[in-house]
Amino acid sequence: MPNRVIVFDVNETLLDLGHLDAPFQAAFGDTQAKSQWFGQLLQLAMTATLVEDYRDFSTLARAALELVAARRGLHLTDAQSQPILDAMRHLAPHADAQPALTRLQTAGFRLAALTNSAPAVARAQLDNAGLAPFFEAILSVDEVRRFKPAPAPYRLAARHLQVAMSDLRLVAAHDWDITGAMAAGCRGAFVARGGIGFNPVAPQPDVWEADLEAVAEAIIRVDA
């Protein structure tokens, strides 16, 4: 039986942000603001970690909405912004998420989730998506007050799951997340959704596939 623990990022890796299109369309008049908002949110999270001024992901999500709106000369009311924030708890899983998790669980791997989302949001997200039963732990960076890709969240996962860093593999659709995990001593598995590339100047993961099902099969080949 494999001794590795597979830890999954949640947003975009397991859950589809496409569910946010409707509330973004209602608030901004187009859906392109969604990618601007998520990029702004990640920037705020990384800045908060670098300057050691932690605010939870939900607080930063609201701040990112305000910044994107200001950039567009808009002022969002609570009635416009709250549906976006509420929708984050009800994201649908990507179609390949459940088959991949089932395949890995059947193969004997231990599975956990590690997310930048606040604990209550992370639990709601995975419960509502029907994925929570796959995971022996749903971990949030809130416990260490450092966002990924800082080392502390990955060390938290290894400590909580009682494994060596080298026995933990992070699956994510973000190259910065994989890079952080590998720098902390974990292995990585990159989900290249939509054909996105991986930072060419960073160490490359030994698993890299176009979807989660292919990632699961590659992990089984490499780690089992």
Side-chain angles (χ1 to χ4, degrees):
M1 177 179 290
N3 62 3
R4 292 195 184 279
V5 177
I6 312 300
V7 176
F8 285 80
D9 172 55
V10 174
N11 296 310
E12 290 196 305
T13 300
L14 294 172
L15 304 183
D16 186 359
L17 294 185
H19 188 70
L20 300 178
D21 284 353
F24 267 97
Q25 179 70 41
F28 289 92
D30 65 64
T31 59
Q32 301 223 348
K34 180 184 70 178
S35 59
Q36 297 170 0
W37 165 75
F38 197 66
Q40 181 70 71
L41 173 55
L42 295 177
Q43 183 187 81
L44 292 178
M46 293 183 190
T47 300
T49 294
L50 286 170
V51 303
E52 299 185 347
D53 184 22
Y54 180 79
R55 313 294 172 93
D56 68 62
F57 211 49
S58 297
T59 298
L60 296 183
R62 187 179 292 276
L65 280 175
E66 293 177 7
L67 288 170
V68 172
R71 198 176 304 146
R72 290 166 166 245
L74 301 173
H75 174 73
L76 296 187
T77 65
D78 285 344
Q80 292 171 308
S81 60
Q82 196 59 47
I84 295 172
L85 301 174
D86 291 343
M88 280 295 290
R89 293 172 174 258
H90 298 275
L91 298 176
H94 283 290
D96 55 7
Q98 185 166 331
L101 293 171
T102 299
R103 182 74 176 96
L104 289 167
Q105 193 173 67
T106 300
F109 287 89
R110 298 170 61 196
L111 307 180
L114 175 64
T115 178
N116 278 342
S117 294
V121 175
R123 170 57 69 173
Q125 286 181 307
L126 293 172
D127 279 339
N128 292 331
L131 301 181
F134 286 101
F135 301 115
E136 65 176 85
I138 297 173
L139 304 172
S140 166
V141 302
D142 202 59
E143 186 169 335
V144 292
R145 300 177 67 82
R146 296 288 187 279
F147 290 104
K148 296 184 293 176
Y154 310 107
R155 292 172 182 158
L156 163 70
R159 185 169 65 251
H160 184 94
L161 298 161
Q162 298 184 322
V163 294
M165 295 294 287
S166 58
D167 283 330
L168 188 153
R169 182 187 287 277
L170 180 85
V171 178
H174 307 112
D175 60 352
W176 52 263
D177 203 352
I178 299 291
T179 299
M182 292 175 62
C186 309
R187 289 189 176 189
F190 182 54
V191 190
R193 293 203 181 279
I196 59 173
F198 197 93
N199 181 357
V201 299
Q204 305 294 291
D206 60 346
V207 171
W208 177 340
E209 301 291 345
D211 60 65
L212 272 177
E213 290 185 80
V215 163
E217 295 300 332
I219 289 173
I220 291 168
R221 287 196 306 271
V222 172
D223 289 349

